[in-house]
Amino acid sequence: MEVVRAMNYIAEINGFYARLLVYPLSSDAQALWGVLMHLCNRAGWPPEFTVASSTLLGLLGYSYSALSRARTELVEAGLITHVPREGRLAPWYRLHSICGKVVDKPVDKPCLTLVAKNCQP
């Protein structure tokens, strides 16, 4: 029996946003990645899962061509694998972990200035 290790949801999200500082993605691709991550989490982190395009279109409010472009962008970035299936079967998706990947130009916790009202040091 194969033991599958679940992704660390928060670590993956933090890694995704750190990666964007070096390798930007379109806002459509970012939103699609977030929805796929959410659905995978809700499904219990299976190594592969299916999602109907109509489901993604409903959640994201995209046209099919925008979904296709965003998906291609994520595949080319190495963040997901997308395997279409014949007929009207939903495609397979596999999310690739961002944690533990080496980035050519590492950005470790960039310094961000936050401004809050009534905040005392």
Side-chain angles (χ1 to χ4, degrees):
M1 180 177 174
E2 181 185 346
V3 176
V4 178
R5 189 172 155 212
M7 289 187 184
N8 179 323
Y9 194 64
I10 299 300
E12 292 296 329
I13 290 171
N14 287 336
F16 179 76
Y17 285 103
R19 184 189 183 286
L20 286 178
L21 295 172
V22 180
Y23 301 107
L25 294 169
S26 69
S27 58
D28 286 352
Q30 291 177 45
L32 176 57
W33 183 87
V35 166
L36 291 172
M37 180 63 74
H38 169 73
L39 294 172
C40 188
N41 177 48
R42 293 293 303 233
W45 301 108
E48 294 178 332
F49 58 100
T50 61
V51 182
S53 294
S54 59
T55 300
L56 295 174
L57 293 172
L59 289 168
L60 295 164
Y62 293 172
S63 65
Y64 185 80
S65 61
L67 172 63
S68 183
R69 282 192 303 273
R71 185 171 48 212
T72 299
E73 192 176 349
L74 292 177
V75 168
E76 290 174 355
L79 297 173
I80 67 168
T81 297
H82 167 255
V83 181
R85 298 194 301 163
E86 291 186 26
R88 299 185 59 82
L89 295 173
W92 286 101
Y93 288 92
R94 176 184 292 260
L95 295 176
H96 301 288
S97 177
I98 294 168
C99 299
K101 287 191 177 179
V102 177
V103 177
D104 326 13
K105 304 173 197 170
V107 176
D108 185 30
K109 296 184 181 176
C111 183
L112 302 175
T113 303
L114 301 177
V115 178
K117 288 184 178 181
N118 303 323
C119 183
Q120 307 230 345

